[in-house]
Each structure stands twice: as C-alpha cells, then as structure tokens.
Amino acid sequence: MKQVNFVIIFVICLALVLFGIENTELVPIRIVKDIQFQAPLSIELILAMGIGAVLAWVFSVWTRLQRMVEVGKDIRVREDRIQALEKDVEHYKAEIEQQRLLPAAQSDSQTTEAEFVS
C-alpha cells in the first residue's frame, strides 16, 4: 500500500512540476479591492490546490471526531444496558436458587409431618 501511495504522490508532483515549467507568466492576484500582487500562474494554482487539500483534511478530521463522539455515546449506552442486564441475571439466579431451596424445604416438612402422624 505504501508503494501505491508513493507512486500516486510521485505522479501528482511530477505533473505539478511539468505544469509549473509550462506556465511561468505572471498573473495578478487581487485579494481585496486595493490589495493585489503578481505571481506565476503555476504557483497560484498549486497554492489553491494546497489550500483545498488542507481544507479537505480539516473536514476529514472534523468528521472523524464527530463519529468518535457518536460511537462513544453508543458505547456508554450499551455498557449501561449490559450492567443492567447483568444485574437482572444475578437477581434471577438468586431467585432460582431460592426456588430450588424452597421445594426441598417443603418436601422435608411434609415428610416430617407424615412421620408425626403415623
């Protein structure tokens, strides 16, 4: 994968260099009404692409952070649900144990009552 990334970056840089060699004439850039400066067309376009790449990266990071926050909330909700279910399981286990002990105690009391009657 690293080699594929290297080839892609190399091709893009080579294209930018060839583009820069062909477009060296000065072009004015007007930022505000009275502020303007001149630079080669290739530099202006490379700068514009760089700004676009940085903005795309910032958007990507922002989206990833939002996704992490949503996943964190989901994890907290699921952990709370798991704890509640574990608590229910413990409660039901205790209840089953009580039910197992109660019939045994009832059958013992019935046999002792039968022994007293006879």
Side-chain angles (χ1 to χ4, degrees):
M1 191 64 180
K2 288 183 181 182
Q3 292 142 347
V4 173
N5 287 342
F6 174 77
V7 169
I8 291 171
I9 291 170
F10 179 76
V11 168
I12 291 172
C13 289
L14 184 62
L16 289 174
V17 167
L18 292 174
F19 180 78
I21 290 172
E22 293 295 323
N23 296 295
T24 57
E25 61 270 359
L26 294 177
V27 179
I29 299 174
R30 186 170 298 150
I31 298 173
V32 187
K33 186 175 182 178
D34 293 333
I35 299 175
Q36 128 177 359
F37 64 94
Q38 291 189 347
L41 177 63
S42 60
I43 300 297
E44 292 176 10
L45 291 175
I46 291 171
L47 185 65
M49 286 189 294
I51 291 171
V54 168
L55 290 175
W57 176 76
V58 167
F59 179 73
S60 169
V61 169
W62 177 252
T63 305
R64 191 176 303 138
L65 285 174
Q66 285 180 331
R67 201 172 306 136
M68 286 175 56
V69 167
E70 289 175 6
V71 168
K73 288 179 184 178
D74 288 344
I75 288 173
R76 276 186 246 119
V77 167
R78 288 179 183 175
E79 286 177 354
D80 291 344
R81 180 70 177 144
I82 288 170
Q83 288 176 355
L85 291 172
E86 286 175 347
K87 196 174 188 181
D88 288 346
V89 166
E90 292 299 321
H91 174 73
Y92 292 137
K93 281 182 181 179
E95 196 173 295
I96 289 172
E97 285 298 319
Q98 279 183 341
Q99 288 177 357
R100 283 185 189 166
L101 294 176
L102 288 177
Q106 289 174 353
S107 64
D108 287 343
S109 65
Q110 289 175 354
T111 55
T112 54
E113 288 176 11
E115 289 173 0
F116 287 127
V117 172
S118 54

PDB file of all heavy atoms in Angstrom, residues 24-43:
ATOM      1  N   THR A  24       4.755  29.934 -16.654  1.00  0.00           N
ATOM      2  CA  THR A  24       5.596  30.815 -15.849  1.00  0.00           C
ATOM      3  C   THR A  24       5.212  32.286 -15.952  1.00  0.00           C
ATOM      4  O   THR A  24       5.807  33.124 -15.274  1.00  0.00           O
ATOM      5  CB  THR A  24       7.073  30.673 -16.276  1.00  0.00           C
ATOM      6  OG1 THR A  24       7.172  30.966 -17.661  1.00  0.00           O
ATOM      7  CG2 THR A  24       7.579  29.276 -15.967  1.00  0.00           C
ATOM      8  N   GLU A  25       4.221  32.627 -16.771  1.00  0.00           N
ATOM      9  CA  GLU A  25       3.864  34.043 -16.912  1.00  0.00           C
ATOM     10  C   GLU A  25       3.202  34.564 -15.634  1.00  0.00           C
ATOM     11  O   GLU A  25       2.504  33.828 -14.940  1.00  0.00           O
ATOM     12  CB  GLU A  25       2.968  34.290 -18.127  1.00  0.00           C
ATOM     13  CG  GLU A  25       1.652  33.588 -18.134  1.00  0.00           C
ATOM     14  CD  GLU A  25       1.716  32.221 -18.789  1.00  0.00           C
ATOM     15  OE1 GLU A  25       2.762  31.793 -19.265  1.00  0.00           O
ATOM     16  OE2 GLU A  25       0.676  31.569 -18.781  1.00  0.00           O
ATOM     17  N   LEU A  26       3.439  35.823 -15.357  1.00  0.00           N
ATOM     18  CA  LEU A  26       2.898  36.449 -14.145  1.00  0.00           C
ATOM     19  C   LEU A  26       1.428  36.783 -14.331  1.00  0.00           C
ATOM     20  O   LEU A  26       1.004  37.257 -15.377  1.00  0.00           O
ATOM     21  CB  LEU A  26       3.678  37.724 -13.822  1.00  0.00           C
ATOM     22  CG  LEU A  26       5.144  37.521 -13.437  1.00  0.00           C
ATOM     23  CD1 LEU A  26       5.805  38.871 -13.210  1.00  0.00           C
ATOM     24  CD2 LEU A  26       5.256  36.671 -12.201  1.00  0.00           C
ATOM     25  N   VAL A  27       0.666  36.534 -13.278  1.00  0.00           N
ATOM     26  CA  VAL A  27      -0.768  36.804 -13.286  1.00  0.00           C
ATOM     27  C   VAL A  27      -1.082  37.557 -12.001  1.00  0.00           C
ATOM     28  O   VAL A  27      -0.599  37.196 -10.932  1.00  0.00           O
ATOM     29  CB  VAL A  27      -1.563  35.477 -13.344  1.00  0.00           C
ATOM     30  CG1 VAL A  27      -3.050  35.742 -13.319  1.00  0.00           C
ATOM     31  CG2 VAL A  27      -1.179  34.681 -14.563  1.00  0.00           C
ATOM     32  N   PRO A  28      -1.879  38.625 -12.085  1.00  0.00           N
ATOM     33  CA  PRO A  28      -2.203  39.361 -10.853  1.00  0.00           C
ATOM     34  C   PRO A  28      -3.231  38.608 -10.003  1.00  0.00           C
ATOM     35  O   PRO A  28      -4.155  37.985 -10.522  1.00  0.00           O
ATOM     36  CB  PRO A  28      -2.785  40.683 -11.360  1.00  0.00           C
ATOM     37  CG  PRO A  28      -3.268  40.385 -12.732  1.00  0.00           C
ATOM     38  CD  PRO A  28      -2.398  39.295 -13.269  1.00  0.00           C
ATOM     39  N   ILE A  29      -3.024  38.690  -8.705  1.00  0.00           N
ATOM     40  CA  ILE A  29      -3.975  38.113  -7.744  1.00  0.00           C
ATOM     41  C   ILE A  29      -4.536  39.278  -6.940  1.00  0.00           C
ATOM     42  O   ILE A  29      -3.799  40.024  -6.294  1.00  0.00           O
ATOM     43  CB  ILE A  29      -3.281  37.128  -6.782  1.00  0.00           C
ATOM     44  CG1 ILE A  29      -2.671  35.980  -7.560  1.00  0.00           C
ATOM     45  CG2 ILE A  29      -4.263  36.603  -5.746  1.00  0.00           C
ATOM     46  CD1 ILE A  29      -1.863  35.055  -6.702  1.00  0.00           C
ATOM     47  N   ARG A  30      -5.827  39.433  -6.970  1.00  0.00           N
ATOM     48  CA  ARG A  30      -6.482  40.507  -6.229  1.00  0.00           C
ATOM     49  C   ARG A  30      -7.181  39.879  -5.026  1.00  0.00           C
ATOM     50  O   ARG A  30      -8.162  39.157  -5.150  1.00  0.00           O
ATOM     51  CB  ARG A  30      -7.486  41.221  -7.125  1.00  0.00           C
ATOM     52  CG  ARG A  30      -8.105  42.431  -6.459  1.00  0.00           C
ATOM     53  CD  ARG A  30      -8.900  43.271  -7.421  1.00  0.00           C
ATOM     54  NE  ARG A  30      -7.985  43.767  -8.462  1.00  0.00           N
ATOM     55  CZ  ARG A  30      -8.357  44.016  -9.710  1.00  0.00           C
ATOM     56  NH1 ARG A  30      -9.590  43.854 -10.080  1.00  0.00           N
ATOM     57  NH2 ARG A  30      -7.479  44.464 -10.588  1.00  0.00           N
ATOM     58  N   ILE A  31      -6.683  40.146  -3.824  1.00  0.00           N
ATOM     59  CA  ILE A  31      -7.246  39.597  -2.597  1.00  0.00           C
ATOM     60  C   ILE A  31      -8.405  40.468  -2.124  1.00  0.00           C
ATOM     61  O   ILE A  31      -9.494  39.980  -1.854  1.00  0.00           O
ATOM     62  CB  ILE A  31      -6.169  39.490  -1.508  1.00  0.00           C
ATOM     63  CG1 ILE A  31      -5.074  38.527  -1.979  1.00  0.00           C
ATOM     64  CG2 ILE A  31      -6.764  39.024  -0.191  1.00  0.00           C
ATOM     65  CD1 ILE A  31      -3.889  38.450  -1.089  1.00  0.00           C
ATOM     66  N   VAL A  32      -8.149  41.748  -1.994  1.00  0.00           N
ATOM     67  CA  VAL A  32      -9.159  42.733  -1.630  1.00  0.00           C
ATOM     68  C   VAL A  32      -9.111  43.803  -2.714  1.00  0.00           C
ATOM     69  O   VAL A  32      -8.217  43.813  -3.561  1.00  0.00           O
ATOM     70  CB  VAL A  32      -8.847  43.332  -0.227  1.00  0.00           C
ATOM     71  CG1 VAL A  32      -9.954  44.234   0.260  1.00  0.00           C
ATOM     72  CG2 VAL A  32      -8.596  42.241   0.797  1.00  0.00           C
ATOM     73  N   LYS A  33     -10.038  44.721  -2.682  1.00  0.00           N
ATOM     74  CA  LYS A  33     -10.169  45.710  -3.756  1.00  0.00           C
ATOM     75  C   LYS A  33      -8.839  46.398  -4.094  1.00  0.00           C
ATOM     76  O   LYS A  33      -8.462  46.495  -5.255  1.00  0.00           O
ATOM     77  CB  LYS A  33     -11.226  46.742  -3.378  1.00  0.00           C
ATOM     78  CG  LYS A  33     -11.525  47.712  -4.472  1.00  0.00           C
ATOM     79  CD  LYS A  33     -12.652  48.637  -4.091  1.00  0.00           C
ATOM     80  CE  LYS A  33     -12.957  49.559  -5.247  1.00  0.00           C
ATOM     81  NZ  LYS A  33     -14.066  50.449  -4.978  1.00  0.00           N
ATOM     82  N   ASP A  34      -8.106  46.864  -3.094  1.00  0.00           N
ATOM     83  CA  ASP A  34      -6.880  47.624  -3.363  1.00  0.00           C
ATOM     84  C   ASP A  34      -5.602  46.814  -3.157  1.00  0.00           C
ATOM     85  O   ASP A  34      -4.508  47.317  -3.382  1.00  0.00           O
ATOM     86  CB  ASP A  34      -6.831  48.861  -2.455  1.00  0.00           C
ATOM     87  CG  ASP A  34      -7.925  49.864  -2.818  1.00  0.00           C
ATOM     88  OD1 ASP A  34      -8.342  49.882  -3.993  1.00  0.00           O
ATOM     89  OD2 ASP A  34      -8.358  50.607  -1.919  1.00  0.00           O
ATOM     90  N   ILE A  35      -5.717  45.592  -2.704  1.00  0.00           N
ATOM     91  CA  ILE A  35      -4.526  44.773  -2.460  1.00  0.00           C
ATOM     92  C   ILE A  35      -4.413  43.729  -3.561  1.00  0.00           C
ATOM     93  O   ILE A  35      -5.308  42.921  -3.778  1.00  0.00           O
ATOM     94  CB  ILE A  35      -4.617  44.083  -1.083  1.00  0.00           C
ATOM     95  CG1 ILE A  35      -4.708  45.125   0.018  1.00  0.00           C
ATOM     96  CG2 ILE A  35      -3.421  43.173  -0.872  1.00  0.00           C
ATOM     97  CD1 ILE A  35      -4.922  44.543   1.393  1.00  0.00           C
ATOM     98  N   GLN A  36      -3.278  43.777  -4.247  1.00  0.00           N
ATOM     99  CA  GLN A  36      -3.056  42.834  -5.327  1.00  0.00           C
ATOM    100  C   GLN A  36      -1.565  42.580  -5.454  1.00  0.00           C
ATOM    101  O   GLN A  36      -0.742  43.438  -5.152  1.00  0.00           O
ATOM    102  CB  GLN A  36      -3.682  43.397  -6.607  1.00  0.00           C
ATOM    103  CG  GLN A  36      -2.841  43.474  -7.793  1.00  0.00           C
ATOM    104  CD  GLN A  36      -3.611  43.995  -9.006  1.00  0.00           C
ATOM    105  OE1 GLN A  36      -4.791  44.282  -8.966  1.00  0.00           O
ATOM    106  NE2 GLN A  36      -2.891  44.130 -10.088  1.00  0.00           N
ATOM    107  N   PHE A  37      -1.202  41.375  -5.871  1.00  0.00           N
ATOM    108  CA  PHE A  37       0.198  41.069  -6.154  1.00  0.00           C
ATOM    109  C   PHE A  37       0.248  40.100  -7.327  1.00  0.00           C
ATOM    110  O   PHE A  37      -0.765  39.529  -7.719  1.00  0.00           O
ATOM    111  CB  PHE A  37       0.920  40.503  -4.919  1.00  0.00           C
ATOM    112  CG  PHE A  37       0.394  39.187  -4.432  1.00  0.00           C
ATOM    113  CD1 PHE A  37       0.966  38.001  -4.836  1.00  0.00           C
ATOM    114  CD2 PHE A  37      -0.673  39.129  -3.535  1.00  0.00           C
ATOM    115  CE1 PHE A  37       0.493  36.795  -4.386  1.00  0.00           C
ATOM    116  CE2 PHE A  37      -1.147  37.931  -3.078  1.00  0.00           C
ATOM    117  CZ  PHE A  37      -0.567  36.751  -3.505  1.00  0.00           C
ATOM    118  N   GLN A  38       1.439  39.968  -7.873  1.00  0.00           N
ATOM    119  CA  GLN A  38       1.590  39.127  -9.057  1.00  0.00           C
ATOM    120  C   GLN A  38       2.464  37.919  -8.717  1.00  0.00           C
ATOM    121  O   GLN A  38       3.433  38.032  -7.971  1.00  0.00           O
ATOM    122  CB  GLN A  38       2.218  39.910 -10.198  1.00  0.00           C
ATOM    123  CG  GLN A  38       1.291  40.965 -10.756  1.00  0.00           C
ATOM    124  CD  GLN A  38       1.865  41.577 -12.020  1.00  0.00           C
ATOM    125  OE1 GLN A  38       3.019  41.390 -12.346  1.00  0.00           O
ATOM    126  NE2 GLN A  38       1.032  42.299 -12.752  1.00  0.00           N
ATOM    127  N   ALA A  39       2.089  36.796  -9.302  1.00  0.00           N
ATOM    128  CA  ALA A  39       2.854  35.561  -9.123  1.00  0.00           C
ATOM    129  C   ALA A  39       2.635  34.700 -10.371  1.00  0.00           C
ATOM    130  O   ALA A  39       1.657  34.895 -11.103  1.00  0.00           O
ATOM    131  CB  ALA A  39       2.386  34.832  -7.872  1.00  0.00           C
ATOM    132  N   PRO A  40       3.525  33.767 -10.611  1.00  0.00           N
ATOM    133  CA  PRO A  40       3.315  32.872 -11.756  1.00  0.00           C
ATOM    134  C   PRO A  40       2.029  32.058 -11.589  1.00  0.00           C
ATOM    135  O   PRO A  40       1.631  31.705 -10.483  1.00  0.00           O
ATOM    136  CB  PRO A  40       4.537  31.959 -11.730  1.00  0.00           C
ATOM    137  CG  PRO A  40       5.564  32.704 -10.954  1.00  0.00           C
ATOM    138  CD  PRO A  40       4.811  33.543  -9.979  1.00  0.00           C
ATOM    139  N   LEU A  41       1.386  31.801 -12.723  1.00  0.00           N
ATOM    140  CA  LEU A  41       0.121  31.071 -12.716  1.00  0.00           C
ATOM    141  C   LEU A  41       0.263  29.704 -12.043  1.00  0.00           C
ATOM    142  O   LEU A  41      -0.605  29.280 -11.275  1.00  0.00           O
ATOM    143  CB  LEU A  41      -0.378  30.899 -14.155  1.00  0.00           C
ATOM    144  CG  LEU A  41      -1.653  30.099 -14.339  1.00  0.00           C
ATOM    145  CD1 LEU A  41      -2.818  30.794 -13.646  1.00  0.00           C
ATOM    146  CD2 LEU A  41      -1.945  29.902 -15.811  1.00  0.00           C
ATOM    147  N   SER A  42       1.358  29.022 -12.290  1.00  0.00           N
ATOM    148  CA  SER A  42       1.543  27.689 -11.708  1.00  0.00           C
ATOM    149  C   SER A  42       1.592  27.755 -10.186  1.00  0.00           C
ATOM    150  O   SER A  42       1.012  26.910  -9.496  1.00  0.00           O
ATOM    151  CB  SER A  42       2.818  27.042 -12.248  1.00  0.00           C
ATOM    152  OG  SER A  42       3.940  27.834 -11.915  1.00  0.00           O
ATOM    153  N   ILE A  43       2.254  28.764  -9.650  1.00  0.00           N
ATOM    154  CA  ILE A  43       2.343  28.917  -8.188  1.00  0.00           C
ATOM    155  C   ILE A  43       0.961  29.183  -7.615  1.00  0.00           C
ATOM    156  O   ILE A  43       0.585  28.618  -6.573  1.00  0.00           O
ATOM    157  CB  ILE A  43       3.317  30.059  -7.808  1.00  0.00           C
ATOM    158  CG1 ILE A  43       4.728  29.778  -8.329  1.00  0.00           C
ATOM    159  CG2 ILE A  43       3.325  30.293  -6.313  1.00  0.00           C
ATOM    160  CD1 ILE A  43       5.358  28.537  -7.737  1.00  0.00           C
TER     161      ILE A  43
END
